[in-house]
Amino acid sequence: MKAFILGLFLMMATSVFASQHHMIDTLGSSSKGQFVALEEYGYNPTQRHFYVKIQIMNVWKNEYVSKPIEIKYPAQNQSGLDEARARARRLAKDDLNRFNIQS
């Protein structure tokens, strides 16, 4: 009976981890609120990697004004997502400064 419950628990745990996790967050905005940095990040189960995408949007015109910064990082452990997000922010630093975006 214990083996059955353990097997059932493991199947449920792997199915939860196998689903795609997706978040969208703001990194900051310009002083007048015209530009906003958007960060999209999550886990892709089919390719087994974490991903991060940062873009800057002009909310007054409803259009993106920068090229996307995209990072893919192998999902070997949970800290991989934090490392990928930190790397993407370092790469986006020039764009954030150019549009005067403060976090």
Side-chain angles (χ1 to χ4, degrees):
M1 183 66 177
K2 288 182 183 180
F4 174 75
I5 293 173
L6 180 63
L8 184 62
F9 175 76
L10 288 175
M11 285 187 343
M12 289 183 350
T14 57
S15 67
V16 168
F17 188 72
S19 65
Q20 184 161 354
H21 300 278
H22 182 81
M23 297 288 294
I24 297 176
D25 199 3
T26 58
L27 290 178
S29 62
S30 62
S31 59
K32 293 182 181 179
Q34 181 177 5
F35 300 104
V36 175
L38 300 173
E39 179 186 36
E40 177 183 346
Y41 59 94
Y43 173 71
N44 186 331
T46 57
Q47 297 178 358
R48 294 184 179 163
H49 70 257
F50 296 113
Y51 63 90
V52 182
K53 180 179 177 182
I54 296 176
Q55 271 190 294
I56 298 175
M57 177 179 239
N58 181 337
V59 293
W60 294 356
K61 295 182 179 180
N62 197 26
E63 63 185 19
Y64 291 106
V65 294
S66 69
K67 291 183 180 179
I69 305 288
E70 296 185 71
I71 301 291
K72 293 181 181 177
Y73 204 86
Q76 296 172 349
N77 56 35
Q78 183 59 33
S79 68
L81 179 59
D82 296 332
E83 293 170 19
R85 291 180 70 194
R87 183 172 178 214
R89 288 177 184 182
R90 282 191 304 271
L91 292 173
K93 188 175 183 175
D94 290 339
D95 285 339
L96 296 173
N97 290 336
R98 183 167 48 127
F99 292 102
N100 195 26
I101 294 177
Q102 306 297 319
S103 52

